[in-house]
């Protein structure tokens, strides 16, 4: 799979000065990263990314990513690991219906999104951005079965506008070969 991250910010007034965020050790996130790396290595998945230099080293950032496969978050997160930035993903709220996953997602600082009532997710993401975090939004609101970009919801742009965070577009391609939308865990 391939991940391409944005382009340089436009010249002129930029976002507010970067906030210093004291990094917790985040053992759940670090353990998940180790597990993800081992899984990708075990599957012999080769990843490439470019454009990481467009993501500021500190301060808030909104990543607006295409979504073609369930494991897209692995590749986006992996692309920023060398920068030391951990990504807080906005995810479907039903993931939190499974108690162990809910605890893990909360420990990693991810944001549950109820599409019927998204205001709480927006406010949560805004708090993370004001604390200097990287928040990834999938503005299509789901995976496109046709592998084309669907109409985008306005949340990513609104978060960037309201918080002054740079909005970095992210394109992912190839992960759909690993786990297409219609594939279940039971499929060979």
């Amino acid at each position: 799979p391939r991940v391409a991250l944005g382009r340089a910010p436009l010249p002129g007034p930029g976002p507010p000065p970067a906030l210093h965020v004291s990094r917790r050790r985040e053992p759940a996130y670090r353990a998940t990263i180790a597990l993800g790396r081992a899984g990708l290595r075990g599957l012999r998945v080769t990843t490439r990314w470019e454009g990481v230099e467009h993501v500021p080293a500190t301060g808030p950032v909104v990543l607006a990513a295409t979504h073609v496969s369930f494991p897209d978050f692995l590749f986006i997160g992996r692309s920023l690991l060398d920068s030391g930035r951990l990504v807080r993903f906005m995810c479907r709220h039903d993931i939190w219906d499974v108690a162990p996953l809910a605890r893990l997602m909360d420990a990693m600082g991810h944001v549950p999104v109820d599409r019927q009532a998204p205001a709480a997710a927006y406010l949560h993401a805004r708090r993370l951005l004001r604390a200097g975090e990287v928040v990834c939004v999938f503005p299509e609101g789901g995976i496109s079965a046709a592998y084309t970009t669907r109409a985008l919801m306005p949340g990513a742009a609104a978060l960037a506008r309201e918080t002054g965070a740079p909005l970095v577009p992210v394109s992912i391609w190839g992960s759909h070969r690993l786990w297409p939308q219609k594939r279940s865990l039971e499929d060979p």
Side-chain angles (χ1 to χ4, degrees), residues 18 22 29 40 44 74 79 82 87 111 124 134 137 152 162 166 168 172 175:
S22 62
Y29 214 135
L40 292 176
R44 296 184 178 172
L74 285 171
S79 70
D82 294 338
V87 181
V111 181
H124 186 164
V134 178
V137 180
L152 304 180
E162 187 175 343
V168 179
I172 302 171
S175 60

Side-chain angles (χ1 to χ4, degrees), residues 7-150:
R7 65 179 200 57
L10 296 173
L19 299 171
H20 176 68
V21 177
S22 62
R23 294 283 173 210
R24 302 180 305 272
R25 292 190 59 89
E26 303 201 48
Y29 214 135
R30 298 295 176 194
T32 303
I33 289 168
L35 185 63
R37 280 183 167 170
L40 292 176
R41 205 173 18 254
L43 292 171
R44 296 184 178 172
V45 174
T46 302
T47 58
R48 294 182 305 207
W49 52 87
E50 58 188 60
V52 177
E53 68 275 9
H54 301 301
V55 178
T58 60
V61 180
V62 178
L63 302 179
T66 58
H67 202 7
V68 297
S69 174
F70 293 110
D72 287 342
F73 67 94
L74 285 171
F75 306 112
I76 294 169
R78 174 62 190 102
S79 70
L80 291 181
L81 277 183
D82 294 338
S83 73
R85 308 243 19 213
L86 297 177
V87 181
R88 312 308 172 175
F89 290 94
M90 296 185 76
C91 312
R92 289 172 46 162
H93 75 284
D94 54 355
I95 295 170
W96 276 258
D97 291 345
V98 179
L101 278 179
R103 285 190 297 277
L104 183 63
M105 298 296 277
D106 286 341
M108 291 188 289
H110 299 314
V111 181
V113 179
D114 181 346
R115 287 185 242 178
Q116 301 304 314
Y122 182 91
L123 295 174
H124 186 164
R126 186 176 69 185
R127 279 192 303 275
L128 289 170
L129 289 165
R130 287 186 173 155
E133 297 287 347
V134 178
V135 174
C136 182
V137 180
F138 295 103
E140 295 171 276
I143 298 170
S144 170
Y147 303 115
T148 59
T149 304
R150 301 186 311 189

